[in-house]
Amino acid sequence: MTRKALASLAALTLTAAASFAAEHIGGRLPPGPPFDYHSYANVDQFRVTHLELNLRVDFWRKTIAGVAALELKRVDPRATQIVLDTKDLMILEVTQKATDVVGATSKNETFWVSRPFHLEKADPILGRALVIELPSSRSTTEIIKIAYETLPDSQALQWLTAKQTARHKEFLYTQSEPIGTRTWIPLQDTPQVRATYKAKIHTERGMRAVMSAENDPAAKQTGDYTFVMPQPIPSYLMALAVGDIEFLATGPRTGVYAEKSILKAAAKEFADTESMIEANEKMFGPYRWSRYDILVMPPSFPQGGMENPRLTFITPTVVVGDKSLVSVTAHELAHSWAGNLVGNATWRDVWLNEGFSDYMESRITGAVYGEERASMEALLGLKSLRADLAKLKPSDQILAIDLRDRDPGEVFSDVPYEKGRLFLNYLDTKFGRERFDAFLRGYFDHFAFKSITTEDFLEYLQENLLDRFPGLVTGDQVHAWVFEPGLPADAVLPVTSMFQPVDAVRDAWLNGKPLAKHVGLDWVAQQWLYFLGQMPASLRTAQLAELDKNFGFSKSPNAEIAHSWFKLAIANEYQPAYGRLEEYLTSIGRRKLIAPLYEALMKSPPGVLVAKRVFAKARAGYHPETAKAIEAIVEPKGEVGE
Ligand code: BES
Ligand code: ZN
């Protein structure tokens, strides 16, 4: 059967499962592994259980080259072909470990036998299937070695030149989620397969390599490093960074890796990480990954944070000096339970990672920084969700989203995050905190180190919450949350009194009352974000000048506040802010912060000119995926030249 036919068959059964789920929320998918539209891997025949990498990171050539050894479990005894995911990889050789072959002098001698392989036609999103022929065998495990090399513009990698980093040394990092791992390792790039790994990384002396694995903070910067990840993780959590990185401990099992210029500030900003872990452990069970370190990324890092196990990657834009944006770390830490421990089987199920982590982020923030801050952040999240819902077509408003023929990296919206969070809030309120926390602890235990589908979760929810405490929430209500667009009418929404004084100041000012000297002196970052976020779209130049003069928004050290301000400035073509705006867009690459600003600029003819000029200047500093996304905004398809 062709892949297309298989895909439509799986689509049919998925629809059938969804309508079955309408009557009974514990809907079941057809037997066998869930179909992942974003991987070519034949997981019903072989499954990778362990990975060993021996790679050289070459800054001069901008390549990673070496060998990946894959330990495979033969699930189907008749299988004679393994299909792996690759994208923009040069495959040099494939060999298989063979014992007892003709010519062996002793029984235990190991031979590596060359195996035929070919690459299928490239798909622009998925890349190329690597098909390897293996002789039929009764053995249930096989080991293959693939010698390969990445290309300089591999999607998951950003190679920063010395000029682009704080220390004027080169830097390399990976951003694998969702389907980027195949651009630097040939493997089964689907989250439903979990494998342990070991790695040897060789690079220049004086550079330190770190990975989503056991890192040795005391390792000498010799250029040769070894890593072990003893827990099975999905492929999107494979991560590597190499740079002039130093380490500072913040607690017995926590610390910060960063370039020297930001190391101390970062350690101060993230000083509460141990308290966050303890808060989470108290609510949701043990932290099972031994250490939790944070790597502060170069400013071009496209995400706020990435939950690479044992070593979260974090944007430097959250190092503000007042801990006001550290809920990003709370969110990434929460993934150590939601996602990394129990995670999505396919990208349709990503809300199981993101919605749960957002919910847990609120709980951690509440425990460490107080309920007021948590509720303000939840309310800002809700505002952002509502704005997204207003733009998204109904089928993209459901939690279990259909991603067929789409790039899962481009479809991310607030829905899996904020709607997911509200769904868990709803269950929390309906069943009561004690029961709900016990349920979540049980869930993380039950599925520990497994990847699950939405349906697996719903079945577990039915048995362990709905049926155990009947009469509180119906299957239909849960179904509406997961499979229907919009927000259910009985959603439990966050409330806070912290925004009342902010509304009062804004309303009075909009009605002509001048800003008093003391206004905002006691406001926290979330109140400023709300102050700016709820401004009317259209303001007069004099009003914007008054705001900037009083509050210094253009110069704000807080990248989120600056972002909100620039949005307002652009919408009103407030030129005096454009100098700082240009600096902002050329110095950071976090997508959530820069893409909306380019979009806003593109709405007016003078803005278009600014967007194009600034992008031309900034582009080389952005991560390749970010550059692609911004290019799509600034040079929309169909536009031919100028
Ligand atoms: N897992 C995501 C990062 C991600 C999302 C990578 C989609 C690739 C595709 C991470 O946990 C995340 O959600 N980061 C957020 C910050 C968070 C506080 C909501 C981000 O990067 O903005
Ligand atoms: Zn997340």
Side-chain angles (χ1 to χ4, degrees):
M1 194 180 293
T2 63
R3 203 191 129 73
K4 259 227 148 82
L6 257 178
S8 46
L9 182 71
L12 269 178
T13 42
L14 267 185
T15 326
S19 60
F20 172 63
E23 290 115 53
H24 178 86
I25 58 131
R28 275 183 200 90
L29 291 177
F35 192 84
D36 184 345
Y37 293 100
H38 301 101
S39 168
Y40 289 114
N42 53 339
V43 293
D44 50 340
Q45 299 199 298
F46 284 103
R47 289 179 89 92
V48 176
T49 53
H50 179 71
L51 188 67
E52 298 218 356
L53 302 173
N54 192 340
L55 302 174
R56 172 160 298 279
V57 175
D58 185 335
F59 282 96
W60 178 247
R61 295 179 58 227
K62 295 195 173 156
T63 59
I64 298 180
V67 172
L70 273 52
E71 200 172 296
L72 309 170
K73 194 167 127 211
R74 193 188 293 267
V75 185
D76 177 348
R78 294 158 307 173
T80 59
Q81 255 189 357
I82 170 147
V83 185
L84 301 176
D85 294 295
T86 76
K87 193 172 182 185
D88 296 331
L89 288 186
M90 287 212 313
I91 306 295
L92 307 172
E93 191 190 17
V94 180
T95 53
Q96 182 183 11
K97 187 173 179 179
T99 44
D100 300 342
V101 290
V102 183
T105 47
S106 91
K107 262 209 154 229
N108 295 324
E109 201 169 345
T110 303
F111 278 84
W112 290 95
V113 184
S114 189
R115 293 295 177 216
F117 68 90
H118 69 273
L119 286 163
E120 295 278 342
K121 197 166 153 271
D123 174 274
I125 297 171
L126 304 180
R128 304 178 76 174
L130 168 62
V131 184
I132 301 166
E133 312 289 339
L134 299 176
S136 60
S137 160
R138 257 178 289 160
S139 109
T140 50
T141 49
E142 305 288 357
I143 298 181
I144 56 171
K145 259 190 193 171
I146 304 166
Y148 71 98
E149 204 172 307
T150 62
L151 296 183
D153 54 357
S154 166
Q155 229 176 63
L157 307 179
Q158 189 181 14
W159 298 92
L160 290 159
T161 60
K163 269 208 291 207
Q164 292 168 314
T165 63
R167 295 205 70 181
H168 302 292
K169 284 256 192 115
E170 288 136 320
F171 200 103
L172 160 76
Y173 69 86
T174 62
Q175 170 49 47
S176 299
E177 190 184 12
I179 55 170
T181 310
R182 66 191 67 181
T183 73
W184 66 286
I185 310 173
L187 43 47
Q188 294 183 314
D189 199 7
T190 169
Q192 66 193 274
V193 172
R194 285 177 171 251
T196 52
Y197 82 85
K198 284 189 185 160
K200 286 200 167 90
I201 303 290
H202 312 281
T203 186
E204 288 160 31
R205 184 173 271 281
M207 297 288 249
R208 183 200 290 272
V210 288
M211 288 193 85
S212 52
E214 219 170 88
N215 286 279
D216 174 10
K220 294 232 162 57
Q221 300 201 186
T222 58
D224 295 309
Y225 304 90
T226 42
F227 302 95
V228 180
M229 171 40 86
Q231 289 102 336
I233 58 162
S235 58
Y236 74 88
L237 294 177
M238 296 297 303
L240 166 70
V242 182
D244 188 8
I245 301 165
E246 300 192 11
F247 176 81
L248 205 56
T250 54
R253 55 175 166 174
T254 60
V256 173
Y257 288 93
E259 289 193 303
K260 196 171 183 175
S261 57
I262 196 173
L263 187 66
K264 276 207 185 119
K268 258 176 92 183
E269 201 83 26
F270 303 133
D272 301 329
T273 311
E274 174 60 30
S275 316
M276 289 185 182
I277 302 178
E278 282 167 19
N280 225 8
E281 286 187 309
K282 228 161 102 195
M283 297 181 283
F284 306 116
Y287 178 74
R288 303 183 203 217
W289 306 87
S290 92
R291 292 194 59 85
Y292 181 84
D293 294 313
I294 290 176
L295 172 66
V296 182
M297 304 302 287
S300 62
F301 186 57
Q303 305 294 336
M306 178 63 214
E307 65 270 27
N308 298 316
R310 295 184 186 217
L311 185 65
T312 278
F313 287 13
I314 293 272
T315 168
T317 60
V318 305
V319 182
V320 186
D322 60 1
K323 298 185 183 171
S324 59
L325 301 180
V326 294
S327 23
V328 177
T329 54
H331 175 97
E332 304 312 332
L333 172 68
H335 277 304
S336 308
W337 285 257
N340 300 8
L341 182 63
V342 180
N344 60 324
T346 75
W347 295 106
R348 168 182 178 263
D349 311 304
V350 77
W351 72 276
L352 295 175
N353 301 7
E354 299 304 345
F356 278 58
S357 290
D358 254 12
Y359 168 79
M360 292 164 74
E361 170 197 326
S362 279
R363 298 285 306 276
I364 301 170
T365 306
V368 178
Y369 300 103
E371 291 308 324
E372 279 177 348
R373 169 131 161 217
S375 56
M376 283 190 284
E377 290 182 343
L379 207 81
L380 290 170
L382 174 64
K383 295 272 178 213
S384 165
L385 172 65
R386 289 216 193 275
D388 255 15
L389 289 175
K391 287 186 274 182
L392 291 169
K393 57 179 195 266
S395 58
D396 282 351
Q397 299 180 10
I398 66 169
L399 285 178
I401 189 177
D402 182 355
L403 292 171
R404 261 172 287 171
D405 299 324
R406 300 163 80 182
D407 182 345
E410 295 306 313
V411 185
F412 266 71
S413 74
D414 276 339
V415 172
Y417 289 84
E418 299 295 340
K419 188 172 171 182
R421 182 216 300 257
L422 290 174
F423 175 34
L424 296 205
N425 255 349
Y426 177 81
L427 295 174
D428 172 347
T429 311
K430 293 285 174 186
F431 289 95
R433 186 137 290 182
E434 212 174 299
R435 286 180 195 150
F436 190 58
D437 283 1
F439 165 78
L440 283 181
R441 275 195 300 275
Y443 164 76
F444 290 127
D445 269 344
H446 182 77
F447 291 113
F449 299 107
K450 297 222 161 59
S451 301
I452 64 169
T453 60
T454 299
E455 283 68 20
D456 293 328
F457 167 70
L458 293 180
E459 201 176 315
Y460 186 85
L461 176 69
Q462 178 89 48
E463 272 170 30
N464 295 282
L465 211 51
L466 270 60
D467 291 351
R468 275 191 66 195
F469 308 105
L472 296 175
V473 171
T474 67
D476 279 351
Q477 283 167 318
V478 170
H479 181 269
W481 275 102
V482 180
F483 297 105
E484 284 167 28
L487 280 182
D490 62 343
V492 181
L493 303 178
V495 281
T496 177
S497 58
M498 297 289 285
F499 289 155
Q500 278 164 13
V502 181
D503 281 328
V505 167
R506 191 192 320 95
D507 291 348
W509 178 69
L510 287 169
N511 285 321
K513 188 171 170 223
L515 291 164
K517 268 256 164 317
H518 66 273
V519 158
L521 287 179
D522 57 346
W523 287 1
V524 294
Q526 288 69 26
Q527 289 172 305
W528 285 113
L529 289 172
Y530 181 75
F531 179 69
L532 288 168
Q534 300 308 113
M535 281 285 176
S538 156
L539 289 174
R540 280 174 281 114
T541 304
Q543 287 177 305
L544 288 156
E546 189 186 355
L547 286 179
D548 208 11
K549 182 166 157 271
N550 275 269
F551 304 126
F553 289 131
S554 290
K555 293 190 296 268
S556 174
N558 184 310
E560 297 266 3
I561 294 176
H563 167 89
S564 285
W565 163 248
F566 288 135
K567 248 167 104 175
L568 212 55
I570 295 167
N572 293 284
E573 294 182 37
Y574 180 64
Q575 300 291 338
Y578 278 34
R580 298 298 292 213
L581 169 66
E582 184 166 338
E583 258 173 57
Y584 186 88
L585 292 173
T586 45
S587 61
I588 64 172
R590 183 175 170 191
R591 257 174 88 164
K592 192 189 116 191
L593 295 180
I594 62 169
L597 299 183
Y598 279 106
E599 272 161 12
L601 282 170
M602 291 302 287
K603 288 189 180 140
S604 78
V608 169
L609 293 180
V610 176
K612 293 195 181 204
R613 186 176 53 74
V614 174
F615 177 55
K617 193 168 143 197
R619 146 169 232 150
Y622 293 156
H623 182 281
E625 285 293 274
T626 311
K628 209 171 87 185
I630 305 296
E631 183 177 78
I633 297 169
V634 175
E635 310 278 352
K637 270 211 189 94
E639 191 183 84
V640 189
E642 278 299 304

